[in-house]
Amino acid sequence: MKGKSLIDVLHEIQESNPENYVPENLAKKVSDTFKTSPAKVYGVVTFYTMFSVMPRGKHIIRVCRSLSCHLADGKKIVKKLKEELGIDFGETTEDKEFTLEESSCLGMCSIAPSMMIDDVPFGNLKEEDIPVILKKVREGVL
Amino acid sequence: MKMYRSHILVAEDSKSLSKGAKEIEELISKELRALGLDEEVLVAPTGSLGFEDIGVAIAVYPDGVIYAPVTQNDVPRIIKEHLLKGRIVKELVHEIGKKDVTVTESRAERVLSIQQRVLLKRVGVINPESIEEYIAEDGYLALENALEKGPQWVLEEVKASELRGRGGAGFPTGKKWEFTAKAKSDVKYVICNADEGEPGTFKDRVIMEGDPHLLIEGMILAGFATGANYGYIYIRGEYDLSIKRLQKAIDQARSYGFLGENILGSGFSFDIEIKKGAGAYICGEETALIESIEGKRGEPRKKPPYPPTFGLWGKPTVINNVETLANVPPIVVNGAEWFKKFGVAGSYGTKLFSLMGDVNFKGVIEIPFGVKLSSIINDVGFGIKGGKKLKGVILGGVSGSLITPNEIDTPVDFNSLALIEAGPGSGSIVVLSEDRCIVDIAKNIAYFFRHESCGKCTPCRVGTEEMYKIIDSISKGFGEVKDLERLDKLSTSMKLTSFCGLGQTAPNIIQQSLRKFREEWLEHIIERKCSANVCEFEEITEEVTNE
């Protein structure tokens, strides 16, 4: 009833940006629209893990680090992802295809270990699945 | 309406979709067309059938046969044999395909024998994207009933049912509603807390993906009973399929006149909007959630005032969990007395649990309150994987409680669990086998809270960080016996002085483990030994530095 909130607008900005982040110039515009300070907007953007103030890859990989996935040997999946992508958490591959992020529970515990690539969930992951999935995403099949 | 002789329902919740459920559905349609059966057999998506842990599941009606797991290779055979020739393909019927399970009866029978499906009765039965199917299964009947009898009647009925909140705290729903109903204000709100984020919890998504109209109807009833005309569903941004299905359901409900101005000509107006979260566990805390809907950082507010009188934009606001609201339509249709036939005194009704960890069956289950935890593990969960011994259970999420094998016969209800300082919490049951290391688990939990503390208050912000550091050093072999005392004291301080529930509950499992598994902690510290062989001890060098 109150219309779009600041967070709604930030979602829109980020979703329409191929680099998956909220750029400074737009954040400043948002602060004008909402009659608040850029610092407040920065405070909101950095509070939530789904937002970023830095350019990211075309695809965001969120791998679960919480209890159920941990108990299902999620560590191996994390290691494999880092190996295959050649990056650490918070980093983006050189070809700007993938950014790797760690995530809290994704609610996929019965098929742990799990991850999401953009909006698509993947579960019961085995190490050998990782290169296959990454290849498919890169080719745009998934 | 067109009649079909058979229906094939394909489980298409997000987990099944990740395993290729959509492709199976397409293949089934293709095979049916090839055999000229597409006019006789309807293929439709449905919610979870409860077999996501093993693969894609399909149900064939009217025979009521569930095939799971179904692979691409199985499809032609199922179609040819079952749908063309009428012979059930016995080998593919959800017989337990796992080596470590030795029970002989069929999985579904066993899993469902203790369960009672009130909230999940349509999940895996109807197409969640069809309002007509929801209506055909008694959907929006409660709303009709309510509009006829008036808001006061609905409120009294919910109060009489003694329904308690399913989000964790267990506050009586009727009482909460009454505060808002009595509050004088021209604007009131209903919020559905769908920010399911407690590690080990995935029950709400089963409702949202499998029966979204149930939640919508529950919210309309909450609005009607309390005098609110607008509702928000605050849902975590990661639950993409839930968001899509709920949005579709809202649009359908609006076009049928169940939402919007002057609902069914009653004069009552109510509408719902979805607010997408952006990744913050703290937003499951009701006042942090309200801040987030307002577009701010999700930091908790000081209480009192409480949301029922001072909530969203300062207006009286009812805020309930998805599962709580899903309980309302069945109560309004069948009455409070009917509801109280399920469960036990103090905890009426059924409860959804997310069962996982080292059990043979993992998934969302619905059982009446009062069933023993041991029965849930052994009868519904088919016991511990690999025939191992039970080490413990983490009940109610990582902010919940740690149950030992000698407490395992405790009935799962609010009052019985309170006697062992536990509660159903978020409805998560993580079963741990003897192969698990308690220090490793504590470290994972501490890591989670250290990341998720919002930073507003010092006890939580600093406490979660310190807690992680101490446990991390113990897990690497650098602990001292006095660290256990430090952890214990720190836990108590956090419980007593943290601003909100996050910091107050973060130490729960860790502190309980110090008492219940003290030997194991000492073994790590004194002997530098991890019996479960999980912790990797580092060499002691001259200069030991904590990172």
Side-chain angles (χ1 to χ4, degrees):
Chain A
M1 206 115 88
K2 291 250 178 181
K4 283 177 192 164
S5 75
L6 202 156
I7 291 174
D8 297 333
V9 174
L10 292 175
H11 269 305
E12 283 174 12
I13 290 173
Q14 188 165 286
E15 278 161 22
S16 61
N17 182 344
E19 290 185 294
N20 267 311
Y21 80 112
V22 181
E24 195 179 331
N25 61 331
L26 291 180
K28 277 190 179 138
K29 269 193 190 166
V30 173
S31 70
D32 289 341
T33 315
F34 283 87
K35 296 190 176 59
T36 182
S37 66
K40 283 264 184 205
V41 176
Y42 183 78
V44 173
V45 176
T46 52
F47 185 85
Y48 296 96
T49 54
M50 289 178 85
F51 294 136
S52 173
V53 290
M54 299 290 283
R56 289 186 289 185
K58 204 164 125 194
H59 304 287
I60 313 286
I61 303 176
R62 294 190 177 90
V63 57
C64 177
R65 300 283 310 270
S66 292
L67 189 62
S68 312
C69 287
H70 177 70
L71 295 176
D73 257 341
K75 258 187 196 162
K76 286 186 184 162
I77 301 302
V78 170
K79 194 166 160 248
K80 186 75 183 171
L81 275 168
K82 287 182 178 173
E83 266 173 30
E84 284 291 317
L85 296 166
I87 52 173
D88 207 339
F89 284 129
E91 295 178 353
T92 302
T93 52
E94 246 170 56
D95 60 6
K96 306 250 190 313
E97 280 287 316
F98 295 103
T99 297
L100 182 63
E101 295 183 353
E102 53 183 328
S103 172
S104 292
C105 185
L106 294 165
M108 314 261 294
C109 317
S110 61
I111 55 167
S114 70
M115 66 173 178
M116 287 182 79
I117 300 186
D118 304 325
D119 290 334
V120 185
F122 297 88
N124 287 137
L125 291 169
K126 291 182 215 72
E127 286 164 279
E128 59 264 33
D129 298 339
I130 302 298
V132 183
I133 293 172
L134 293 179
K135 187 163 177 273
K136 281 188 182 168
V137 173
R138 221 172 261 222
E139 290 166 357
V141 195
L142 275 174
Chain B
M1 198 173 164
K2 199 166 167 185
M3 298 293 284
Y4 293 90
R5 73 170 162 88
S6 289
H7 288 71
I8 303 178
L9 302 181
V10 185
E12 290 184 19
D13 53 282
S14 51
K15 289 174 203 163
S16 301
L17 286 169
S18 79
K19 297 195 165 178
K22 196 81 217 164
E23 290 74 22
I24 295 282
E25 188 200 321
E26 282 161 8
L27 189 59
I28 291 172
S29 300
K30 199 177 134 203
E31 289 291 321
L32 288 172
R33 273 198 305 276
L35 294 170
L37 295 173
D38 50 328
E39 293 289 310
E40 294 171 43
V41 182
L42 177 75
V43 188
T46 188
S48 162
L49 285 164
F51 296 88
E52 301 88 81
D53 59 325
I54 56 171
V56 179
I58 66 171
V60 182
Y61 289 98
D63 315 313
V65 172
I66 293 178
Y67 292 108
V70 177
T71 64
Q72 298 252 353
N73 295 337
D74 300 329
V75 172
R77 193 162 152 221
I78 293 172
I79 302 301
K80 211 170 181 178
E81 289 294 315
H82 192 154
L83 280 311
L84 189 66
K85 300 180 186 167
R87 293 183 217 145
I88 293 170
V89 190
K90 282 195 182 138
E91 309 93 272
L92 298 177
V93 177
H94 68 78
E95 281 305 334
I96 300 144
K98 291 179 182 168
K99 290 189 282 297
D100 47 358
V101 181
T102 48
V103 283
T104 48
E105 74 225 83
S106 86
R107 178 177 156 125
E109 261 171 50
R110 175 86 173 263
V111 169
L112 290 170
S113 62
I114 299 170
Q115 297 197 54
Q116 277 174 329
R117 299 219 150 193
V118 174
L119 307 174
L120 298 182
K121 76 169 188 170
R122 298 183 195 86
V123 176
V125 178
I126 65 163
N127 176 352
E129 298 193 2
S130 160
I131 189 171
E132 290 86 359
E133 293 196 19
Y134 179 71
I135 294 170
E137 293 284 332
D138 300 337
Y140 291 108
L141 197 63
L143 178 62
E144 232 181 283
N145 228 353
L147 293 175
E148 210 170 281
K149 293 182 174 156
Q152 192 59 33
W153 178 84
V154 176
L155 182 61
E156 292 304 327
E157 210 57 31
V158 172
K159 265 168 70 186
S161 75
E162 296 180 43
L163 171 65
R164 293 174 70 168
R166 305 296 198 233
F171 192 82
T173 306
K175 214 181 238 178
K176 204 185 237 185
W177 287 16
E178 196 166 36
F179 290 135
T180 303
K182 283 185 178 162
K184 292 216 174 358
S185 173
D186 50 342
V187 181
K188 297 178 188 178
Y189 296 104
V190 174
I191 295 176
C192 169
N193 184 345
D195 193 44
E196 182 166 71
E198 183 69 38
T201 312
F202 46 97
K203 61 176 180 75
D204 292 339
R205 81 184 303 163
V206 173
I207 295 176
M208 296 188 284
E209 292 177 3
D211 195 7
H213 283 285
L214 179 65
L215 173 59
I216 309 247
E217 190 175 7
M219 284 183 77
I220 305 172
L221 293 167
F224 184 63
T226 57
N229 300 108
Y230 209 77
Y232 289 97
I233 303 176
Y234 184 88
I235 182 165
R236 59 184 299 194
E238 292 90 343
Y239 274 19
D240 189 57
L241 187 66
S242 297
I243 294 172
K244 285 183 180 141
R245 293 218 168 130
L246 280 168
Q247 189 56 56
K248 192 160 192 176
I250 290 170
D251 296 341
Q252 289 172 344
R254 231 178 253 143
S255 71
Y256 269 71
F258 297 128
L259 278 177
E261 295 291 317
N262 193 14
I263 293 172
L264 303 176
S266 64
F268 170 65
S269 302
F270 191 80
D271 215 334
I272 297 176
E273 192 181 317
I274 293 176
K275 285 280 175 186
K276 194 165 122 179
Y281 168 77
I282 181 68
C283 290
E285 199 281 338
E286 56 183 12
T287 58
L289 186 156
I290 287 172
E291 290 281 302
S292 187
I293 292 184
E294 293 182 4
K296 300 181 227 162
R297 289 164 68 93
E299 289 177 1
R301 291 177 182 173
K302 191 176 166 294
K303 293 194 272 191
Y306 293 92
T309 51
F310 188 92
L312 188 60
W313 291 298
K315 302 293 181 189
T317 304
V318 165
I319 176 161
N320 287 130
N321 172 261
V322 173
E323 187 186 344
T324 312
L325 288 162
N327 268 286
V328 175
I331 290 173
V332 172
V333 168
N334 304 296
E337 284 313 307
W338 167 86
F339 182 75
K340 288 166 88 169
K341 284 181 192 153
F342 302 94
V344 293
S347 310
Y348 291 113
T350 59
K351 174 86 192 79
L352 300 182
F353 287 98
S354 321
L355 180 61
M356 85 219 70
D358 300 322
V359 275
N360 287 310
F361 170 81
K362 299 181 210 172
V364 170
I365 56 170
E366 179 173 4
I367 48 166
F369 276 112
V371 174
K372 286 177 181 170
L373 196 49
S374 51
S375 171
I376 296 178
I377 295 170
N378 295 321
D379 300 330
V380 186
F382 289 95
I384 315 277
K385 245 189 210 161
K388 300 268 181 184
K389 276 194 203 140
L390 178 75
K391 174 168 198 148
V393 175
I394 290 175
L395 179 66
V398 298
S399 64
S401 43
L402 181 60
I403 314 273
T404 54
N406 55 17
E407 296 165 323
I408 209 71
D409 282 327
T410 311
V412 177
D413 62 73
F414 288 103
N415 296 344
S416 306
L417 287 170
L419 297 176
I420 57 164
E421 290 173 56
S426 69
S428 152
I429 301 176
V430 181
V431 178
L432 306 171
S433 81
E434 56 188 328
D435 292 345
R436 300 300 183 180
C437 166
I438 209 71
V439 176
D440 178 62
I441 288 165
K443 184 172 155 180
N444 181 272
I445 293 173
Y447 185 85
F448 170 79
F449 282 113
R450 167 184 176 236
H451 179 255
E452 295 295 349
S453 172
C454 81
K456 179 177 173 124
C457 76
T458 314
C460 178
R461 184 183 62 245
V462 179
T464 51
E465 177 73 28
E466 279 305 303
M467 201 163 240
Y468 177 75
K469 278 188 188 160
I470 297 170
I471 299 173
D472 184 50
S473 97
I474 293 174
S475 79
K476 288 177 178 156
F478 301 125
E480 299 171 42
V481 176
K482 67 178 185 207
D483 281 340
L484 299 184
E485 203 186 322
R486 284 173 61 212
L487 265 181
D488 193 43
K489 271 192 178 164
L490 182 60
S491 300
T492 305
S493 310
M494 286 171 68
K495 280 184 178 177
L496 295 175
T497 60
S498 289
F499 188 85
C500 82
L502 194 154
Q504 290 160 12
T505 58
N508 277 357
I509 304 238
I510 292 161
Q511 195 175 28
Q512 287 180 2
S513 79
L514 295 175
R515 190 161 35 88
K516 294 180 173 177
F517 293 92
R518 190 174 170 82
E519 295 300 309
E520 204 175 321
W521 283 97
L522 287 173
E523 186 187 80
H524 280 74
I525 295 168
I526 298 168
E527 297 173 47
R528 284 174 61 91
K529 184 179 152 201
C530 173
S531 292
N533 221 358
V534 178
C535 296
E536 290 167 14
F537 297 114
E538 291 174 7
E539 297 278 319
I540 299 178
T541 54
E542 284 299 308
E543 287 167 81
V544 175
T545 46
N546 275 342
E547 50 173 303

